[in-house]
Every structure is written in C-alpha cells, then in structure tokens.
Amino acid sequence: MPYLSGEETVKELRRALCNPNVHSDPLRHRNAVLRVIRAMSQGVDVSALFSEMVKACATVDIVQKKLIYIFLCSYAAVNPELSLLVINTLRKDCQDPNPMVRSLALRNMTNLRLSSLVEYVEQPLIAGLRDRAACVRRVAVLGWAKLHDLQPDSEIDAAVVNELYSLLRDPDPVVMVNCLRALEGILKEEGGVVINKPITHHLLNRLKECDIWGQCEVLKFLQRYQPQSEDELFDILSLLDASLVSPHPPVMAATVGLFLSLCGSLPAVGLSALRRAQGPLLAACGSGSREMRFTALCHIQLLLRSLPGLLGAHYKRFFCGYAEPAFIKQRKMKVLVELVNDDNVAMLLDEMKGYCTDVNPDTAQAAISAIGHIGRSYSDRSLEILVGLLGLKQDHITSAVVQTMRDLLWVCPQCSSTVCLALEECEDTMQDAQGRQALLWMLGVYGERISSAPYKLEVFIDDVRNETSAGVKLELLTASMRLFLCRPAEMQDMLGRLLHHYIEEETDMCVRDQALLYYRLLHCGKEETEKVLQGRRSDPSLGVLIGPPAESISQWAHSFNTLAPLLQSTFKPDSKPQLSDALRCDPVETSGKTPADCSPITQLAFLTSSSAAPLSLSVSPALSPEKFERLWLQPRAQHDEHGKLQQTVFQCSAQSLQASLQLVNVQTLAFTPAHARPWKVYLYTRMQLDSRGSTLILGELVHCEEEPEEKTVRVTLRQQPRDDETLKAFLSILTTVLHTHSSSNETLKDI
Amino acid sequence: MSASAVFVLDLKGKVLICRNYKGDVDMAEIDHFMSLLMQHEEEGLICPVMSHGSVHFMWIKHSNLYLVATTNKNSNASLVYSFLYKLVEVFTEYFKELEEESIQDNFVVVYELLDELMDFGFPQTTDSKILQEYITQEGTKLEVAKSKVPTTVTNAVSWRSEGIKYKKNEVFIDVIESINVLVNANGSVMSSDIVGSIKLKTMLSGMPELRLGLNDRVLFALTGRDKGKTVMMEDVKFHQCVRLSRFDSDRTISFIPPDGESELMSYRINTHVKPLIWIESVIEKFSHSRVEIMVKAKGQFKKQSVANNVEVRVPVPSDADSPKFKTSTGHAKYVPEKNLVVWTIKSFPGGKEFLMRAHFGLPSVENDELEGKPPITVKFEIPYFTVSGIQVRYMKIIEKSGYQALPWVRYITQSGDYQLRTNV
C-alpha cells in the first residue's frame, strides 16, 4: 500500500467499517479491522478511524478485541475525548467470566495512558488484585505501577500498597515478582520497596519457582537487604550457591552482583564467589549469541580490573575465531592482554601475531596495540613481532606499529635500541596522520641514534606543502628542532627551510606561532634551546611496575550487570589517549618556563648534564625483578654501603620519584604502597667503569616514620664488582635527587 | 530489566511492527537507529549497543530482520539480549522461519504475542508451549472466544497441560554431541571442547514422572561405584521441568516432561579430544600463476564407526579460476561465491585416509585487496557414537495409570565449530 494514498485508504477503510452488511457478517467485520491494523503497522495514519474502531470494540471475538485495543492504545493520546467511550466497554469486559478477557481489558485500560481516565480505572484495578485468576492479578499489579507512572505526583492509596505487599505471598510467582516491580515504582520517592528480613527469606525460598526473568529481578531486589549477622549472611550465600553456577548467564550475573553487594564488607568472600563463578562466566563467553558473548566479555573486563589474576589459566578460551565480529575480537584481545603471564606469553603472542593481519583494519590495529601493551612486561618478544610486522609493508599495519612503538618507548625506554634499529630499516611513507606523527616524535627524540633520521625528515620537509594535518606539522617542527640540536650539520639547512616556510607561508596560526617561538628560541643560544626541548623521554610510571593498581571491587560493583560496562567500553578506548596527550603537549608545556620555576624533573635534567656528566649510568641491560631479588639476597658477596640521609619527610609520590630517578638512569624496580610504613623503594643501575666494563649497583631506600623527629631515609647499597669511587659518586647523585624532591615539595607548600 | 519499547525492523530500517511498553521513550527515536548503525558500520566497529542522546538501542539481527529494544535507563543488558533472543525463539516456533515475510503475514499473531510476552517493560509469559495454547494461528479462523482458560497459565506444572492422551506411549531420546576444535596452522590443537545436548520427543499420556540415568562421574563417585566409563560434565543446563534441588543433592535427573519435542539438558565437556577428522593441508600459492592444494583427511575414530556427509571446506583466493580436482574418494566442487572448494565424502569409515588435490589458475594481475586467512572447516556426522562416551543407562517412566512406555535412545556426534587454520 503506497504511503501517499493514505487519505484514500482511510476513506475506504471507513466505508468498510461503517457498512451495515459488514457489521452483520463477523468474518467480514474482522477483516475490515484487520486491514486497519495492517495499515497502521505500515505507517499510515489511521487515527481518523478512532470512533469507528471504538464502535467495533463491542464484539465477542477475542482476536478482534485484541486488535482494536492495540489500535486504541496507539491513538488514545490523539483522541482523549473519544477514548472515554471505550472505558465503558472495557469496564464491562472486566466483569467477563473469561479470565483472558478480564486480563486483556484490564491491561489495555492501563495502557491507554490517559490521566483523565484514572478515576475509572482504579476500581477495576482493585477488583483485579483480588481476582481468582493469576493472569488477571499479574496485570492488575503492574497496572498500579502504570497508574503511578502516569501521575507520579499523586499518591497511591496506602491500602493498595499494603495489598501489594501482601500479594508478595501470592501463589503465582509472576504475581510476586510483578509486585516487587510495581512497589519499586510506586515507592520510588521513599527509596523503593522495603526488603526486610521476612520478605528476604520468603523471596529466597521461592526463588526456584520463578522463571529466569523473575529470578534475576528477585536477586536484584535482594541487593538492598543487609543481613543482620554474619551467620545470616552465610546462610543466604550458601542458599544462593546454586544460582551462582546457573547455566543461564543473566541469572549467574545477577547472583554475582548480589554476592558482591552482600559481601561489601567481606572482600575475601566476594573474591571466592567470583572464583566460583568462573566456569559459568567462561561458558557465557562461549555462548551461541554474539551479543551475550559481548556482554560477558565486557563484564569480565570489569572483573579483571580488580582481579588481574582471575582466568589466567583459561586464556585459550579468549582466542578469536575467524568469523567472529570485530567488536568481539577486539574485546577478547583486551581481555587477553590482561591475562598474560610467564607461562602463556609465548602462545599468546603467537596467537596475537595472527590477528595483526586481520582483514578489518581496526581489528589489526587493536591487535598491534595489544602486543604493545604486552610489550610493557615482555618487551623483547613483543618487539620482535612488531619489527617483523614492519616487513609486511602494509600501510595501516606500519602506521599502527609505529604508534605502538612510540607508546611502548614512552613507558619502557629500555626498548629504544631495538626500536631505533627497526626505524632505520623502515622506508615507508604512511598515509595516516597519526602514524606519521608517531614516527616524527621518535625521530626527534631518538634522532641521535638513528643514522638516517635527517634523511627521513628531509622527505617530510621536501613535501611540506602537501601536508594537511596540523598535528603532523607541529610534530615535524619539534622533531626537526630536536634533531638539529644533536646533529646540527645535517639539519641546519633543512630546519632553515622549514622555519622559513612555516613562518612565511603557513596559514595555521598555531603552527606559525610555534615556528616563531622556535625561531626566537634559537636566538637565545644552544643551551637555552636545549633546556626547553629536552622534555621527558619516557614515563615509566605508566608501566607495569607500578601500573594502575588493582581497583577495589566496590568501585565497580554498583554497575555490575547493567548496561554501563558495555557503554563504557565503547566510549573509553583504554589508557592510550592519555598517553598520546602527554606526548603531544610535552614540548609546549616546558617551553615557557625558566629553570628556576620548573618542576623537579627539569631541574634534574640540568643536574645530570652538569655534575653527573662524567659518570655514565645506564639501565641496560635490564634487570628482572626476580634477578634483582636473587642478587639482593645473595649473602655478602658484594660490598655493602649503609648511609643515612638527613632529609625532610618525603611526600613526593612514588611516580614522580621514579620519573626523576629514570632521568639520571636509575631504574626503580618496586615500591611499597604510598602509605605503608616503613616505606621502601628498590632500585638499580649500572655504572660504566672506564675500560673495565661496568658495575652493577643495587639499592634500597627505607623511610621509617617511627622516629618522627629524625626524618631520615636509610639507604643500603650493594655493588658488584666493588668500586668505592663510583659508589660514592652514585650516592651523591641519589642524594641530590632526593634533595631536589624534598625542596620542591617545600616550595610547593610555600605557595 | 525495563525495555521501553521493542521494534522489529527490516534491513532498510523500516519498522515492521513495534510495541511501546512504557511510553517513556519517544517512538520516533527509532529513526536514528539505522543511521547510527550505518555510521558504526563505516567506522568498522558495529556494536550491539548504540546510544543516541539518552536513548540506548540494544539490538540483534536475525535473518533479514533487526530486533531492537530501546531504553533510557541503565538496564540489565544481559537480560535484554536474552529477551530479544527469546522473542526470536518464540516467533520461530510459531512461524517456523522468522523473516520479514513471516512477520508481515502473521502480524496479528505477532501483536498478540508481543502483548503477552512483556508488560510495562517486564517479561511475563515467555514459554512458547504455554503461549501456543491460547494464541494460535488458527485464531484467524473465526470462533467465539474460548470460555476455558488454558490451565497452564495458572497450573503448578506450567510446561505441561493435563489430559494429554496417546495410544502408544513412547519417548525418543537423542543424545547429540558436537565438537568444537581449533587447530593452529602448525598442527597443534589450540582448543577443543564438546557441547552435548539431550533432546526428548515425548509421546506420553497423563502426567508421567520420568527419571533419567547417565554414566555421570559425580553420581558414580557419590554412590561409590567405579566400574565402566564415566563422564565429567560441566555447565550442565536443564529444561525448567527438571527438579534442580534433587539434582543438586543426589544427581538424580527427575522431571515431568513437556509434551512433544524439547531439549531436556545440555552440557559442556572441556577435555582435550583428538580431532575426529584430522586434516593435513598443503596450499602453495604461486603468485600470478596458480594455486596448488593438497588436502589429506584422516578419520581418527573407531573402525566400526562411519562418519556421514563429511564436507571439507578449503578456502581459495577470491580471484582463482579454472579449477581442476582429483580425489581418492568423494567429489570436490568449487563454490566461487564463497571462495571455497567443498570436498564431499558421503561415508567416511574410521581409520581411513583420503586425499584431494586441487589446482587453480591465478590471474597475472594481482588483486590488491587484503584477504584474510580463512581456516579450513569440516562438517560431519557420526551416528551411534558419542565422543565423550556418555550413555543413557536407564529411563524410568512412572504414571499413575501404570501404562508401559518404551524409551528409544539414539546417539549422534557431529561437528560444531571445527576449524583448522592454514598458512596461506
């Protein structure tokens, strides 16, 4: 039926409905009604037929009744006056001996959603609550909720509320659950339906009778109950044990949610419940419906925020199938990244490698960045794969790999040598602005170690007119400046051309201003320029060592088993943006400041260049925490140096301390949490001994607060092989670092 | 739960039928659904939940239909998806095939069902067996309103009506196991599991009480028996008719069965099974000229058993042409629209080994598009055999009229998600 002929259709339908011959033949009459409904579903506006349909309502044919009611409910809002006419028929139907008719009438009476009809509806609803047939009671109970929804301001009679409470004991489980739902809506102002001890026990006893919808609902309402004693709590928990391992994912999820809220004060019990729910959770991840799989994966991600170790042994269950949709693959990869450990890393990376060449570029990109994430703890293996991927010469893969390498370098500076080697080989020009930006950043920061860096930049500078992305332009400027500082001979001409172009011809103000700033900066001399441009190269605080700590369950328990985890994951693509933000803004951030008001980190940068210059500290080859522990505990083979540093209390955060130590090439391995006493830091470095190889220094800083007047940090150092001179030198560096920190804290306090 | 409204859309996003349950979300919001979906699709990241302002769309796709639930609350996502799948299940049972045509042809029944399934955003009666008793397609035939309420709406045993009668009382039990296997390109089994289900076709009179005995390891451990092969089942799911409390306490599976066909239980076994049909493949791609494929299939199951209708699906490049095949048994066919060679073997006895060679030409101009590496998939069916070794030890049927009834048992093993990755 073409949409445009709507008016004619209506006319024709009206004629059919009014025809007395049609009226006399029930079959023809019903066909006429059917045609109206069909027209309605097809989007034709048939509201003009309202009065005819009201008349047709008086019929004994139940199917016709249903259809007419659907019509009336759809158009009641447009015809409030005429709707009044229906009420009589509906009220009469509420007296019908057939319970099906009674429930149908009652349901549609409340579905009309007209506040003018409320007064007529209340009486049949009250009768409905006491009806013999369960199906009528079901409808009546929800009818009250609808009524309240229609007029949220008017109070529902207390007697009705009481009646609803008493219907919680109705033999029909659906009536019981509907009562909970209705009361929740009606009593919203007062905090919803009251779940006290007798109600809780009643609900728990009847849980098994409910269908899965009912069970989920009841379990959700039980979250509101706070058991009075620990014994009661455990009784409830053991009663619910069967639901916890329920094969129906929604029931299982609802039970887990309930456990989490009941065990808010007993995290250990909550944890063991989660462990027990592992099986069903995994089963949900393999469920036939992809939407359920997706939901389960999102919730597993939520769990892993608090329990990183959970499910580690089952990592194979999260391997992607070829035909799975991209949203599931990407989510699985995020889960896999969380599950990586020493035993499975080889298998896992091997599997991930396969995903990097996925047909969907987004999935491929996600796989590459997942490998980068794993690289934070297993850098060698991951880098090997990433470097291998560069060999594929696929544009989108190269771009993703370069970005991932950049992010990895920011967190694990020890990877720089491998990355530099790889970049040396990488010849491609990328289409993607993000990728080019990442490449430029690395060329700038690590340019002195990439012999071909100036030639790579040259390609960009020669092509500067065709560049459209402002981000790339800014990055190109900064990279050229940085490279100029360490390789002036090769860069001078190019930089001149670049600055000239940007200052004279660039239309983007931001780029032009930046170019002008650099131009003036160069006039101030090399030292000054270096101070500004030597920003941070890395921020290991984002790495695995201190990484994001495990959250407590209570932080997300309230959103468990709702829509929120699914939405969150679509809009918050993990920590990557923060990271790139930090990278992007860093040259600008420091540019305006003089050394005096700079952060402790910049001050330290000067420190390294001046006092500690003759000593060359380095953190490579990297030392694993296990090896550190072994060396540290080795009995007295090394030289020990104990010292006490008179120091003001250090309030600096672990992260900033680590960052500053990193700047002088001292790697911190482990911290105790911020408020633990005594507060400890373990660190190590290697020091170059002229022509005699290197010496390894391990250190422990202990800060006790037991003696508050004696604000000291005790330092224990172990060295291998022994060399007093270097040890002393190292101690002085360490002292300076700590000093800088405490003094900067004082200045902060003054401000 | 709270779904505000439910829509059934065709592939173009036109509303075929809808039902407004709560009235708190504007029905016109659905117009944004299709544009959102297209936008996500362009970005390559379709997601089963999409938001427009404060309205969230949760959707599933079934054949040529979208089923969409809208909500503006932080509702329980898993429950909404379950409900949408329940809709599909119920509609399918009514119309056999759920698709655009069946919705249009049966819109009266669809309206009736939507009315019963949910009220005010809360699922109500969702059991299709019960629904079928009072919403029938024959409703379109004219009859005066039934004066009798179906007992099941209020019955204690909601899944079975009283007064069912059969001349011959019989139960057919099908034990069906499908195996899922994922094999890496270098031949190592990455993951494998068995998903089993026990299906019943009940033709019994009255209200019979049934008890099913399996060689369940936990049960055997409980009763102290240890002879014979037992099976360790995980994630056991039952039809609602099974008394869970009894299963929990003494592992007895006792129930009053629904009439006709139903799935009594399903389980999963997470053990390493030897892939029943092992495939070795060598696919050599000579760019610009040809592709040579050699596939060896080996039946790694008992000699007495025979796998039927075996299909080995081998992927080939999308630009391949002029196929040539040579098989030691069965026949191979090129399916260009799916870029596959399908090698069919009608009957494949255990322990045997078969070979297929294929040769394709490749155009001299190379296809630029990036192609994935689709795995080889295998389909098969082995009757009278279960991989896990699960057995029905007995089925006791007790009815108060005391009739004799016969249980018939049938075992089938079939392929589930059976994938072997390739190097090319």
Side-chain angles (χ1 to χ4, degrees):
Chain A
M1 206 176 294
Y3 185 76
L4 283 175
S5 71
E7 260 173 61
E8 264 124 75
T9 321
V10 171
K11 249 184 231 161
E12 209 221 291
L13 286 171
R14 174 173 295 136
R15 215 173 303 132
L17 283 173
C18 296
N19 187 341
N21 290 333
V22 170
H23 269 273
S24 57
D25 182 354
L27 198 65
R28 281 178 68 189
H29 195 186
R30 179 201 268 195
N31 271 335
V33 171
L34 224 105
R35 275 166 55 208
V36 176
I37 304 293
R38 188 184 288 275
M40 183 181 93
S41 338
Q42 280 165 345
V44 182
D45 181 11
V46 284
S47 59
L49 297 171
F50 201 83
S51 56
E52 282 79 12
M53 290 297 270
V54 171
K55 275 179 225 154
C57 193
T59 169
V60 281
D61 178 8
I62 197 162
V63 176
Q64 185 174 334
K65 251 191 209 308
K66 280 185 187 170
L67 291 177
I68 293 172
Y69 287 156
I70 288 163
F71 176 91
L72 295 180
C73 289
S74 315
Y75 292 113
V78 214
N79 290 301
E81 291 85 30
L82 286 172
S83 305
L84 211 60
L85 299 174
V86 202
I87 278 292
N88 263 330
T89 325
L90 284 169
R91 284 183 65 137
K92 211 177 84 218
D93 279 352
C94 285
Q95 316 284 330
D96 198 278
N98 183 350
M100 297 306 296
V101 178
R102 290 206 299 273
S103 68
L104 184 69
L106 209 51
R107 177 158 56 222
N108 287 292
M109 210 184 266
T110 46
N111 275 354
L112 288 172
R113 294 199 196 97
L114 288 175
S115 41
S116 55
L117 300 183
V118 168
E119 49 182 321
Y120 304 101
V121 177
E122 281 186 348
Q123 195 266 325
L125 273 183
I126 291 179
L129 287 181
R130 295 166 197 158
D131 200 285
R132 272 178 305 110
C135 58
V136 182
R137 292 200 300 273
R138 290 176 185 179
V139 174
V141 168
L142 278 187
W144 285 105
K146 293 183 203 167
L147 221 56
H148 180 263
D149 201 49
L150 196 61
Q151 296 186 311
D153 310 323
S154 67
E155 286 269 309
I156 296 277
D157 196 2
V160 173
V161 174
N162 281 339
E163 187 135 11
L164 286 175
Y165 268 117
S166 68
L167 275 175
L168 283 176
R169 311 221 168 246
D170 193 277
D172 183 71
V174 181
V175 174
M176 177 184 84
V177 178
N178 279 355
C179 271
L180 285 173
R181 293 160 169 161
L183 284 168
E184 177 72 11
I186 293 169
L187 302 174
K188 205 175 198 170
E189 305 274 289
E190 295 139 61
V193 54
V194 176
I195 304 286
N196 56 20
K197 192 168 172 177
I199 294 182
T200 305
H201 289 203
H202 171 72
L203 291 177
L204 281 170
N205 286 333
R206 297 199 49 189
L207 193 60
K208 290 241 163 67
E209 295 168 31
C210 302
D211 53 11
I212 64 162
W213 323 109
Q215 289 189 16
C216 293
E217 206 83 40
V218 169
L219 289 165
K220 196 187 88 207
F221 281 113
L222 286 177
Q223 288 192 7
R224 199 166 292 164
Y225 181 63
Q226 274 308 320
Q228 272 121 30
S229 68
E230 217 158 87
D231 284 345
E232 194 190 356
L233 170 68
F234 284 112
D235 283 347
I236 295 177
L237 295 186
S238 52
L239 252 177
L240 288 174
D241 193 65
S243 320
L244 189 60
V245 289
S246 160
H248 299 288
V251 177
M252 178 270 297
T255 321
V256 172
L258 175 60
F259 267 59
L260 292 178
S261 83
L262 284 179
C263 305
S265 53
L266 296 164
V269 185
L271 284 187
S272 63
L274 287 177
R275 294 232 160 74
R276 188 142 164 68
Q278 261 188 43
L281 266 171
L282 285 169
C285 289
S287 108
S289 113
R290 50 187 212 170
E291 289 78 15
M292 291 305 267
R293 278 208 303 265
F294 178 71
T295 314
L297 286 168
C298 288
H299 279 94
I300 283 183
Q301 268 190 300
L302 206 61
L303 294 183
L304 289 175
R305 272 161 61 180
S306 294
L307 302 164
L310 194 79
L311 303 172
H314 303 284
Y315 67 99
K316 280 189 180 170
R317 299 286 283 275
F318 298 98
F319 282 179
C320 305
Y322 175 73
E324 274 178 321
F327 61 86
I328 289 191
K329 283 189 184 172
Q330 296 180 15
R331 213 123 299 274
K332 278 190 170 175
M333 284 180 220
K334 293 217 169 110
V335 172
L336 280 174
V337 167
E338 301 287 326
L339 297 183
V340 71
N341 61 32
D342 289 355
D343 302 327
N344 61 24
V345 62
M347 265 298 241
L348 227 154
L349 280 174
D350 209 41
E351 180 75 14
M352 285 278 191
K353 198 169 137 190
Y355 305 154
C356 294
T357 47
D358 197 281
V359 193
N360 181 333
D362 283 306
T363 309
Q365 215 146 12
I368 291 166
S369 94
I371 291 179
H373 256 274
I374 296 174
R376 295 181 188 187
S377 23
Y378 300 94
S379 46
D380 294 349
R381 294 168 197 252
S382 302
L383 273 174
E384 194 183 314
I385 295 179
L386 290 176
V387 172
L389 286 171
L390 282 179
L392 290 177
K393 309 241 174 249
Q394 293 276 353
D395 194 63
H396 69 279
I397 294 179
T398 311
S399 163
V401 169
V402 170
Q403 289 175 58
T404 305
M405 282 176 164
R406 183 230 9 225
D407 293 352
L408 190 61
L409 275 182
W410 182 250
V411 181
C412 310
Q414 67 270 22
C415 307
S416 58
S417 52
T418 324
V419 171
C420 288
L421 255 176
L423 287 180
E424 200 91 57
E425 312 274 291
C426 169
E427 296 284 331
D428 312 12
T429 49
M430 285 165 278
Q431 298 292 315
D432 177 40
Q434 293 278 337
R436 272 178 300 178
Q437 228 170 313
L439 178 66
L440 285 171
W441 186 84
M442 288 193 283
L443 288 178
V445 175
Y446 291 94
E448 73 231 278
R449 290 154 70 179
I450 307 171
S451 60
S452 63
Y455 307 103
K456 287 185 192 295
L457 278 184
E458 192 169 16
V459 177
F460 280 96
I461 292 172
D462 288 345
D463 201 31
V464 75
R465 273 160 224 280
N466 298 330
E467 183 57 65
T468 48
S469 149
V472 176
K473 288 176 187 170
L474 287 174
E475 205 63 69
L476 177 59
L477 253 178
T478 313
S480 309
M481 285 292 284
R482 283 186 174 148
L483 203 59
F484 171 68
L485 289 177
C486 53
R487 303 167 76 163
E490 291 152 295
M491 286 301 296
Q492 192 178 6
D493 176 50
M494 266 191 259
L495 181 65
R497 272 194 288 149
L498 186 71
L499 285 175
H500 181 265
H501 173 80
Y502 278 152
I503 293 170
E504 296 295 324
E505 292 174 42
E506 180 56 47
T507 48
D508 187 321
M509 276 306 133
C510 215
V511 179
R512 195 171 148 265
D513 283 357
Q514 183 93 344
L516 275 171
L517 177 88
Y518 284 146
Y519 180 68
R520 291 186 193 126
L521 193 62
L522 285 170
H523 281 293
C524 301
K526 190 179 177 218
E527 277 77 44
E528 210 60 31
T529 316
E530 259 169 10
K531 271 179 222 158
V532 173
L533 281 170
Q534 242 146 36
R536 285 204 286 170
R537 282 178 164 197
S538 64
D539 182 6
S541 65
L542 289 170
V544 262
L545 275 184
I546 335 186
E551 289 174 44
S552 79
I553 292 176
S554 56
Q555 269 176 300
W556 47 261
H558 59 93
S559 67
F560 190 81
N561 200 24
T562 63
L563 193 58
L566 280 77
L567 291 173
Q568 249 172 27
S569 37
T570 29
F571 300 130
K572 203 188 76 185
D574 85 357
S575 66
K576 215 177 113 195
Q578 313 163 6
L579 205 100
S580 334
D581 284 348
L583 293 177
R584 221 169 287 134
C585 62
D586 91 282
V588 189
E589 180 189 60
T590 44
S591 51
K593 294 176 183 169
T594 57
D597 58 32
C598 269
S599 64
I601 292 156
T602 357
Q603 290 187 22
L604 279 168
F606 303 126
L607 194 140
T608 28
S609 52
S610 56
S611 71
L615 286 167
S616 59
L617 296 180
S618 83
V619 288
S620 56
L623 196 66
S624 71
E626 293 79 11
K627 197 167 174 215
F628 180 91
E629 200 177 324
R630 220 184 53 233
L631 286 173
W632 184 257
L633 296 174
Q634 244 173 41
R636 308 299 129 204
Q638 318 94 324
H639 170 71
D640 285 9
E641 173 88 77
H642 293 275
K644 272 189 183 176
L645 297 176
Q646 290 298 325
Q647 209 75 105
T648 35
V649 186
F650 17 77
Q651 287 146 326
C652 58
S653 68
Q655 273 84 352
S656 65
L657 178 66
Q658 192 188 24
S660 23
L661 285 171
Q662 191 83 41
L663 263 167
V664 292
N665 277 331
V666 178
Q667 178 71 53
T668 35
L669 265 183
F671 283 100
T672 47
H675 297 289
R677 292 289 174 259
W679 191 72
K680 290 184 186 179
V681 183
Y682 288 95
L683 42 81
Y684 79 89
T685 188
R686 284 174 207 273
M687 202 175 264
Q688 195 66 41
L689 302 173
D690 24 17
S691 75
R692 281 172 292 156
S694 66
T695 166
L696 177 68
I697 301 177
L698 311 178
E700 180 194 42
L701 306 185
V702 184
H703 174 238
C704 315
E705 227 174 36
E706 275 107 88
E707 320 112 289
E709 64 280 17
E710 202 190 332
K711 293 165 176 173
T712 59
V713 178
R714 203 176 70 236
V715 181
T716 313
L717 297 174
R718 300 210 168 141
Q719 194 188 24
Q720 188 185 34
R722 184 179 163 155
D723 183 73
D724 278 340
E725 218 165 280
T726 50
L727 199 64
K728 238 176 250 160
F730 175 72
L731 201 63
S732 79
I733 293 176
L734 197 63
T735 323
T736 338
V737 172
L738 295 177
H739 260 303
T740 330
H741 258 285
S742 42
S743 60
S744 79
N745 276 323
E746 273 163 21
T747 32
L748 280 178
K749 261 180 273 163
D750 291 343
I751 298 159
Chain B
M1 163 85 202
S2 49
S4 182
V6 171
F7 298 84
V8 180
L9 309 181
D10 68 3
L11 284 184
K12 293 194 200 90
K14 195 175 137 249
V15 179
L16 294 176
I17 218 159
C18 63
R19 178 78 214 220
N20 189 357
Y21 287 110
K22 284 196 91 141
D24 57 354
V25 174
D26 187 3
M27 293 299 272
E29 286 284 347
I30 194 68
D31 298 341
H32 301 295
F33 173 78
M34 213 52 205
S35 53
L36 270 175
L37 189 68
M38 306 277 260
Q39 187 193 331
H40 281 252
E41 208 163 351
E42 254 165 50
E43 287 163 14
L45 195 61
I46 313 176
C47 184
V49 51
M50 303 190 295
S51 308
H52 182 267
S54 63
V55 182
H56 308 296
F57 301 103
M58 281 177 261
W59 62 279
I60 64 172
K61 193 180 170 196
H62 183 89
S63 64
N64 54 1
L65 295 172
Y66 292 110
L67 287 93
V68 188
T70 56
T71 179
N72 56 2
K73 305 230 162 46
N74 188 9
S75 42
N76 182 340
S78 60
L79 215 52
V80 175
Y81 290 127
S82 304
F83 180 76
L84 292 177
Y85 274 100
K86 191 77 199 181
L87 279 185
V88 173
E89 188 190 317
V90 171
F91 288 160
T92 315
E93 277 188 41
Y94 267 89
F95 316 132
K96 295 287 166 288
E97 204 77 16
L98 173 60
E99 53 187 16
E100 197 180 327
E101 289 73 37
S102 56
I103 292 280
Q104 273 169 346
D105 295 348
N106 299 288
F107 73 96
V108 177
V109 182
V110 175
Y111 271 127
E112 285 185 68
L113 286 173
L114 286 176
D115 208 33
E116 292 296 332
L117 283 162
M118 194 179 244
D119 194 7
F120 202 49
F122 302 114
Q124 300 289 311
T125 314
T126 54
D127 192 318
S128 57
K129 289 258 152 50
I130 303 173
L131 288 167
Q132 265 163 357
E133 290 192 25
Y134 60 102
I135 298 176
T136 49
Q137 270 155 308
E138 284 76 57
T140 29
K141 279 188 247 149
L142 197 72
E143 59 180 305
V144 178
K146 277 186 235 162
S147 54
K148 205 181 115 235
V149 203
T151 47
T152 41
V153 181
T154 51
N155 206 351
V157 184
S158 66
W159 55 90
R160 189 180 176 95
S161 321
E162 275 163 35
I164 297 172
K165 273 215 165 64
Y166 284 99
K167 256 191 212 147
K168 197 174 175 192
N169 291 299
E170 286 175 313
V171 189
F172 296 91
I173 308 164
D174 278 352
V175 182
I176 302 167
E177 286 192 343
S178 35
I179 44 175
N180 301 326
V181 177
L182 179 62
V183 181
N184 210 352
N186 53 27
S188 61
V189 179
M190 304 291 276
S191 64
S192 66
D193 60 0
I194 304 167
V195 178
S197 85
I198 298 185
K199 293 190 173 153
L200 293 183
K201 187 175 177 191
T202 320
M203 298 159 85
L204 297 171
S205 316
M207 276 285 178
E209 178 67 55
L210 269 59
R211 211 136 60 87
L212 176 72
L214 299 172
N215 54 342
D216 173 13
R217 182 168 306 161
V218 182
L219 173 70
F220 277 43
L222 270 178
T223 51
R225 263 184 299 188
D226 56 359
K227 52 179 179 186
K229 200 177 176 228
T230 56
V231 175
M232 185 76 199
M233 295 182 288
E234 288 170 49
D235 302 332
V236 187
K237 284 186 208 186
F238 287 110
H239 186 274
Q240 57 162 337
C241 65
V242 176
R243 294 189 186 85
L244 289 177
S245 50
R246 288 208 57 189
F247 182 75
D248 289 339
S249 61
D250 57 7
R251 302 287 280 195
T252 316
I253 303 169
S254 81
F255 55 98
I256 298 172
D259 191 44
E261 288 179 35
S262 60
E263 185 179 50
L264 180 69
M265 63 182 280
S266 69
Y267 55 88
R268 214 172 47 79
I269 299 173
N270 195 16
T271 51
H272 266 278
V273 281
K274 200 156 61 165
L276 294 181
I277 291 190
W278 183 252
I279 302 286
E280 278 172 42
S281 67
V282 182
I283 303 179
E284 280 178 300
K285 192 171 165 184
F286 303 93
S287 283
H288 313 300
S289 69
R290 67 206 148 92
V291 182
E292 303 273 3
I293 298 171
M294 199 272 290
V295 177
K296 195 158 77 177
K298 192 178 172 193
Q300 305 195 102
F301 46 90
K302 284 195 208 105
K303 285 205 171 58
Q304 303 92 297
S305 297
V306 174
N308 292 334
N309 304 321
V310 180
E311 270 186 30
V312 183
R313 295 156 175 261
V314 187
V316 292
S318 58
D319 49 359
D321 54 41
S322 48
K324 271 180 229 143
F325 305 109
K326 213 168 164 188
T327 55
S328 60
T329 187
H331 71 277
K333 206 175 91 190
Y334 177 42
V335 189
E337 62 272 21
K338 288 184 180 155
N339 302 320
L340 286 175
V341 176
V342 181
W343 176 23
T344 321
I345 304 162
K346 279 272 165 270
S347 107
F348 194 137
K352 283 277 182 344
E353 215 178 86
F354 298 116
L355 205 69
M356 190 262 299
R357 281 175 195 281
H359 173 106
F360 284 91
L362 282 180
S364 51
V365 185
E366 202 168 344
N367 189 357
D368 287 339
E369 270 170 59
L370 190 63
E371 284 183 37
K373 295 182 197 167
I376 295 179
T377 53
V378 185
K379 280 168 78 175
F380 58 84
E381 208 176 81
I382 307 176
Y384 318 113
F385 169 75
T386 54
V387 217
S388 65
I390 197 165
Q391 274 179 340
V392 174
R393 287 169 46 238
Y394 59 80
M395 169 72 104
K396 288 190 179 138
I397 302 158
I398 304 152
E399 217 276 334
K400 46 180 190 296
S401 65
Y403 58 71
Q404 285 294 309
L406 288 172
W408 303 90
V409 188
R410 193 161 61 157
Y411 301 97
I412 297 176
T413 293
Q414 60 190 25
S415 58
D417 187 14
Y418 202 101
Q419 301 192 351
L420 301 102
R421 293 183 181 162
T422 57
N423 268 323
V424 175

